[in-house]
Amino acid sequence: MPRDFAESAGRRSALVIGREDSFGAAREQLTRGGSVLLHGPAGIGKSTVLRTLAAEYARTAHTVLRCSATESESHLPFLALADLLGLVLDEVSPGLPAAQRTALESALTGRGESTLQRDGLALRLAVLSALRALAAAGPVLVVADDLQWLDPASAELLGFAARRLGDTPVRLLCAVRTEGPETEGAEYDRHLRASPPDTRAVRLGPLTRAQVSALLGERGYTGLHRSTVRDIHRTSGGNPLFALELGRALAESPAAPRPGEPLPVPTSLRALVLSRLEMLSDEARRTLLVASAGARPTPALLHAAGRENAEAETAQAAALGLLAPDPEGPTVRFAHPLISAALYAEAPTSERRAAHAALSTAASDPIERARHLALATTGTDPRGADRLGRGAAALARDRGAPSVAASLGLLAARHTPADSTPGPEERRLAAAEDAITAGEQDLARDLAHEVLARATAPGERVRAWMVVIEAAGQAIGEVDAVFPQALADAGDDPRLLALVHYQLAWRGLVVQGDFAQGREEAAHAARLAARAGDRRSELLALAFQAQAETLMGHPDAPATIRRALEEPQDARVACHHNGAGSSRFRWLVMSDRLAEARTTVTALLREVRRRGMAESEVHYLRFLAETELHSGHCGRALELSRESLTLARDAGIGEGAGAMQAALAEAAGGDPHRALELAREAVRRAEEDGDVVYLSRALAVLGHASLVSGDAGAAVRALRRVRELEAAAGITDPARGRWQGDLAEALVRTGEPAEALDVIEVTRAHALRLGRGSVLAVLDRAEALVRAARGEHRAAVARLTSARERLAALGFGLEEARAAFALAELHAERPGRAPESASYDEAARLFRRCRALPWLRRGGTPAAPMERQVAALVMEGATNREIAARLFVSVKTVEATLTRVYRKLGIRSRVDLVRLAAGGRTG
């Protein structure tokens, strides 16, 4: 096996980042004995995937034949054939007929006068015979990279043999470059025709931003700002080779570009994309430079910027493949974002400024005009800075583009004189706060430290400390040393002290897990802010106090929420995930008012999306998923949870909380094994961050996922830790995590009913005090299991029946289904009585209504109800696939169930089953 194959095998997970689906499709095809053709543009990762697959399948192949063509050698006839068969010629040559042997040896060695034209049939048959001879000793894998550079003679011979191999155990694994969706169809169709009939074409497309981030991190380009990764993804177009080259250039650059500045484009990529620019006229090149400097350039904009012959010059560029048609309108679109970036990076500074100066008068959007004017100006410019900071940045903020506002704020700071008001540091702080809103914590943190290195004014320093704390997110314990410095800078200023004590409230909650301390700090911050007339800080502190009181089960919670909702309000605080709207949502969910909670969080989600508040969007998607899950809409909850987690991973914020909610959704409506993975991730992240609050919630989710997966022992271990953590934190409201019923059920299943009853009684006292109806019903369901374990079946049935009815009335669909399932299990266990299969049918109906697939698949469900449902659907004429879809099970499950039905009834087919039904013997 070639050395590079062996190396690739050991690094598969790193090499195929973002290629899991493509890799899986190719692997499945090769496993079936088929062939694979990988295709996509240059640098997209075809060779990487090909080498990795080859390394994996070389172990099972008896012979591996390999060639990798190059453009410079594509004119040499039979070169690829020599690469493929040169090393095995001595092995296969003796078994070939004389004419075939002579033709093949002549082609591979260059001796004699034999050519494809003169001895065509003999040479073609020789290649086919050679492959068959090799396959007779064991499977053969033919690996061919860069098919587009294969010499025509070798390509024709390989195609001839491939089309005639039939069942011979020869697999082809090939890769070919296709330039883009507009032309690639014809290109790879030609290569497909030269491949075995069962060849599967697998296209490798661009990577997502998260995948580009993972790739850069795997190659050692770590510590890049989220905004920088976003620029790399946009500039590379998701091409992994281009992304890595840009990452390398950044790593070698002495200073990273700030937002608004172009990325350094390395010479390797400039040469790759700019060679065709040499064929442009000077005027056409200037027109393209103006287009590269614009946001969405159009011919009209280019005309307004002084490019009189824009149409003709862009047509010339399009003919050279530098521009591509835009299906959405008249926008001048570069064929690849890298062309635009390289063109801009290559241009002299004076020409860039001239392009921006022209666009500053041509652009119709005030934000674009201000941005171009700033980029065309050197030195300080008070009026220009004001247009950027107070005008354009504020407008971007109102439009819901905080990332743009941060970029504009930084430009404003650069053009702001040191002695002006507001000064450059204040503008940097505004940019940092916009970056926090946009979810760009790393940029915000860097800007705050820049301010702290220069600023002496207490107000600026305290604001900068607050940005550092906000940027830490859930890992607030990592910035503990900041608080004494922030308090020292605040002095006795109540406005500044309010900011610090608000963050101290978060520290008390997250780091120390002390809700009482967090509540006291928040109340103190609210009083300080009210004294200073800082309504925004007062509202945030009141919202925190309300949230803490709600989770503690404190009687003042409703009153504090009302205070936090009083006018005057701050629009951004009102919709923030730490604002009063969020506190009210949490109170509504815990009070079983699910319809109001859904309406509230939907409105909040709509508003933060409008404002571009990335972190709040992550949280509200998660909150909405939680609401849908309580309501028994498991499919919808799963979609929302996955969307929230994807956004969280992309933004690098709230990943632990996102994993936690996604685990709950997977346990209810998806994959229980995936639920366990996500729950463990949530626990690990909380432990790493030192976040006691999220740790207890993550452990509760882990316990639930373990219970759904059938591991009651693991559920007990996780949930006992939750009980200890919440007791230490002073959390008494059982509606906060709703884990107590799971713990009691798990304890019954592990044979510890006495402890289960203790959990139920302690929790019930708090639930009665707070009026938590759904919690009380779930506790009754758990108590029924305790009573059943003691043989008190009548009392257990009464408890379960009542619990189910109350949960249905409150709209907790999944919990209602769980109660129905417990009731069915109880009926099945009654001594001396036949199981009441109708109870299982009803439980299955409720689980199907909720799309609670893991519960439908639970192994504890008796086979009889499933058998009856499958038999009934067969008699309706449904196919196995249709039955699987209606019952939310796999086709294999349907087939296995039918096999049991046939065996029990002494029949052999669906036809026999229908005949029995017609004769009245299907009971």
Side-chain angles (χ1 to χ4, degrees):
M1 184 171 65
R3 182 172 178 272
D4 61 341
F5 282 7
E7 289 177 349
S8 296
R11 297 182 60 211
R12 183 178 70 78
S13 60
L15 290 172
V16 296
I17 287 173
R19 300 299 181 209
E20 291 79 7
D21 290 345
S22 301
F23 191 89
R27 169 192 266 175
E28 180 183 352
Q29 177 72 357
L30 290 170
T31 301
R32 287 201 302 258
S35 297
V36 171
L37 177 65
L38 305 168
H39 64 98
I44 204 68
K46 303 179 299 298
S47 297
T48 297
V49 174
L50 179 137
R51 286 195 301 270
T52 309
L53 284 165
E56 188 167 314
Y57 284 91
R59 298 189 184 100
T60 59
H62 182 269
T63 305
V64 178
L65 307 176
R66 183 172 181 263
C67 70
S68 183
T70 62
E71 184 177 11
S72 61
E73 298 171 340
S74 60
H75 65 286
L76 300 173
F78 306 121
L79 184 62
L81 186 67
D83 286 342
L84 287 171
L85 296 179
L87 295 178
V88 296
L89 180 61
D90 293 342
E91 180 182 344
V92 298
S93 182
L96 298 179
Q100 294 181 23
R101 180 170 62 253
T102 301
L104 184 60
E105 289 176 347
S106 178
L108 295 185
T109 62
R111 294 192 299 270
E113 299 179 357
S114 175
T115 65
L116 189 57
Q117 288 74 30
R118 292 172 63 103
D119 297 328
L121 181 58
L123 186 53
R124 289 180 177 91
L125 292 174
V127 173
L128 179 60
S129 298
L131 291 174
R132 284 174 174 164
L134 291 169
V140 176
L141 178 66
V142 178
V143 183
D145 200 1
D146 284 318
L147 281 185
Q148 73 277 2
W149 304 131
L150 233 65
D151 63 273
S154 296
E156 203 281 337
L157 290 168
L158 190 59
F160 175 87
R163 291 190 296 272
R164 290 163 175 80
L165 285 168
D167 295 332
T168 306
V170 177
R171 289 174 291 183
L172 270 68
L173 174 59
C174 306
V176 63
R177 180 187 301 179
T178 50
E179 291 305 322
E182 296 87 358
T183 59
E184 70 179 5
E187 293 178 46
Y188 83 77
D189 276 349
R190 175 168 58 87
H191 291 286
L192 268 180
R193 287 194 295 272
S195 302
D198 66 344
T199 298
R200 179 171 183 173
V202 177
R203 182 177 184 273
L204 301 185
L207 301 181
T208 65
R209 185 166 68 188
Q211 290 165 347
V212 164
S213 178
L215 179 65
L216 291 167
E218 188 274 329
R219 295 300 175 88
Y221 303 128
T222 56
L224 296 173
H225 285 180
R226 176 173 172 257
S227 57
T228 303
V229 174
R230 181 189 62 211
D231 290 343
I232 290 175
H233 177 256
R234 183 180 64 245
T235 304
S236 68
N239 185 297
L241 173 65
F242 297 170
L244 288 171
E245 285 295 293
L246 290 168
R248 181 179 61 78
L250 280 168
E252 295 173 354
S253 177
R258 306 304 294 268
E261 293 180 347
L263 291 176
V265 181
T267 305
S268 58
L269 292 186
R270 293 190 195 190
L272 182 65
V273 300
L274 295 181
S275 57
R276 283 171 287 183
L277 283 174
E278 297 174 358
M279 304 173 67
L280 285 174
S281 65
D282 289 343
E283 289 302 308
R285 185 172 180 138
R286 290 192 186 95
T287 295
L288 288 194
L289 176 61
V290 174
S292 72
R296 282 184 62 82
T298 62
L301 178 67
L302 295 176
H303 271 291
R307 308 311 302 166
E308 297 177 357
N309 299 314
E311 283 88 350
E313 289 160 356
T314 54
Q316 182 187 358
L320 293 171
L322 294 165
L323 299 178
D326 191 335
E328 298 181 1
T331 305
V332 176
R333 184 168 73 89
F334 286 89
H336 193 282
L338 191 60
I339 298 174
S340 173
L343 175 64
Y344 188 89
E346 187 83 0
T349 303
S350 59
E351 291 188 15
R352 288 189 212 163
R353 288 196 182 121
H356 285 297
L359 288 167
S360 70
T361 59
S364 59
D365 185 83
I367 292 178
E368 279 299 294
R369 285 200 304 271
R371 173 179 168 274
H372 287 302
L373 183 60
L375 292 170
T377 306
T378 58
T380 59
D381 177 12
R383 291 184 61 187
D386 218 44
R387 285 179 61 183
L388 280 167
R390 288 183 175 167
L395 184 57
R397 211 172 286 127
D398 290 341
R399 286 182 182 178
S403 181
V404 174
S407 176
L408 295 169
L410 272 181
L411 279 174
R414 282 179 225 159
H415 292 292
T416 301
D419 58 352
S420 66
T421 303
E425 305 311 327
E426 189 167 345
R427 294 202 192 278
R428 285 190 182 89
L429 282 170
E433 289 161 354
D434 283 326
I436 287 285
T437 302
E440 297 181 6
Q441 278 80 354
D442 42 11
L443 172 61
R445 186 185 304 110
D446 286 356
L447 289 173
H449 283 300
E450 283 184 29
V451 172
L452 287 166
R454 289 189 289 260
T456 57
E460 290 179 349
R461 291 188 63 79
V462 172
R463 279 179 67 190
W465 289 126
M466 295 305 100
V467 169
V468 172
I469 295 169
E470 288 277 355
Q474 297 300 124
I476 192 171
E478 295 178 2
V479 293
D480 249 4
V482 164
F483 289 99
Q485 300 175 72
L487 285 169
D489 283 330
D492 57 1
D493 186 328
R495 182 179 64 85
L496 300 180
L497 285 170
L499 296 175
V500 182
H501 281 282
Y502 172 69
Q503 295 296 347
L504 281 169
W506 278 106
R507 179 184 177 277
L509 185 66
V510 172
V511 178
Q512 296 176 301
D514 191 333
F515 276 71
Q517 181 184 336
R519 174 181 178 271
E520 287 303 318
E521 288 285 4
H524 184 45
R527 290 190 295 269
L528 287 166
R531 192 195 316 163
D534 182 355
R535 182 61 174 164
R536 182 180 185 278
S537 295
E538 182 187 8
L539 288 169
L540 280 170
L542 285 171
F544 181 99
Q545 182 183 342
Q547 183 99 317
E549 289 173 352
T550 299
L551 297 175
M552 292 169 67
H554 197 286
D556 290 349
T560 306
I561 291 174
R562 285 194 295 272
R563 286 176 62 201
L565 291 170
E566 288 174 357
E567 296 293 340
Q569 283 289 316
D570 180 295
R572 296 185 71 80
V573 173
C575 65
H576 193 274
H577 61 277
N578 289 328
S582 176
S583 297
R584 182 170 182 272
F585 161 80
R586 177 58 53 205
W587 182 80
L588 288 169
V589 169
M590 294 174 68
S591 301
D592 299 336
R593 294 161 67 172
L594 296 181
E596 290 179 71
R598 182 184 294 105
T599 301
T600 298
V601 75
T602 301
L604 289 167
L605 178 60
R606 187 184 307 116
E607 181 63 14
V608 298
R609 278 176 165 166
R610 187 184 72 80
R611 292 178 175 273
M613 298 167 70
E615 186 173 6
S616 292
E617 181 180 358
V618 170
H619 285 285
Y620 286 140
L621 279 169
R622 182 165 54 83
F623 291 174
L624 184 55
E626 177 188 348
T627 308
E628 297 294 358
L629 199 55
H630 286 318
S631 302
H633 305 150
C634 299
R636 176 66 174 148
L638 192 59
E639 291 173 5
L640 290 165
S641 297
R642 288 172 175 172
E643 183 182 354
S644 175
L645 182 57
T646 298
L647 185 58
R649 294 203 194 288
D650 190 31
I653 51 178
E655 292 183 70
M660 185 177 65
Q661 183 59 47
L664 281 173
E666 292 285 354
D671 180 356
H673 298 295
R674 176 66 176 151
L676 285 169
E677 291 174 4
L678 288 166
R680 290 178 185 126
E681 177 190 342
V683 171
R684 175 179 54 78
R685 287 183 179 276
E687 288 176 335
E688 289 173 353
D689 291 342
D691 187 339
V692 180
V693 173
Y694 267 112
L695 177 58
S696 66
R697 296 186 64 186
L699 285 166
V701 173
L702 179 59
H704 177 75
S706 299
L707 184 63
V708 174
S709 299
D711 190 345
V716 168
R717 290 190 294 274
L719 296 173
R720 277 176 175 160
R721 284 188 66 192
V722 178
R723 194 181 188 191
E724 294 169 3
L725 287 169
E726 293 204 352
I731 300 172
T732 61
D733 194 331
R736 186 243 182 185
R738 299 177 183 271
W739 50 267
Q740 295 84 355
D742 283 343
L743 176 55
E745 179 176 338
L747 286 166
V748 171
R749 295 188 183 280
T750 56
E752 300 169 88
E755 185 181 344
L757 196 58
D758 177 63
V759 170
I760 292 167
E761 289 174 349
V762 171
T763 307
R764 183 177 283 137
H766 292 302
L768 285 168
R769 174 175 59 85
L770 297 166
R772 303 304 191 217
S774 62
V775 174
L776 289 167
V778 168
L779 292 173
D780 279 357
R781 185 185 69 205
E783 186 179 343
L785 300 180
V786 175
R787 290 182 177 273
R790 293 175 172 177
E792 302 170 19
H793 287 274
R794 181 170 298 182
V797 168
R799 289 269 182 183
L800 281 173
T801 303
S802 171
R804 180 193 164 181
E805 291 171 354
R806 286 144 55 206
L807 288 166
L810 290 168
F812 282 73
L814 183 56
E815 297 295 351
E816 177 197 356
R818 287 182 64 181
F821 180 70
L823 193 59
E825 285 190 313
L826 197 59
H827 284 312
E829 294 168 0
R830 286 182 303 173
R833 297 285 297 275
E836 292 187 13
S837 56
S839 299
Y840 279 111
D841 290 343
E842 175 62 7
R845 182 187 70 80
L846 292 173
F847 282 135
R848 282 199 301 275
R849 184 184 69 182
C850 294
R851 291 189 61 83
L853 307 189
W855 291 94
L856 280 167
R857 298 170 183 147
R858 280 186 66 152
T861 305
M866 173 69 77
E867 291 168 4
R868 278 195 307 279
Q869 292 177 72
V870 169
L873 290 169
V874 166
M875 288 182 280
E876 291 177 11
T879 65
N880 287 3
R881 188 169 297 280
E882 290 169 342
I883 295 169
R886 289 177 65 176
L887 297 181
F888 303 108
V889 295
S890 68
V891 173
K892 287 186 177 179
T893 299
V894 174
E895 292 170 350
T897 303
L898 276 175
T899 299
R900 289 197 303 271
V901 170
Y902 296 158
R903 186 168 60 248
K904 287 181 179 181
L905 297 177
I907 59 177
R908 296 183 178 181
S909 69
R910 297 165 70 97
V911 174
D912 292 339
L913 184 60
V914 173
R915 286 174 180 163
L916 278 175
R921 294 172 52 202
T922 57

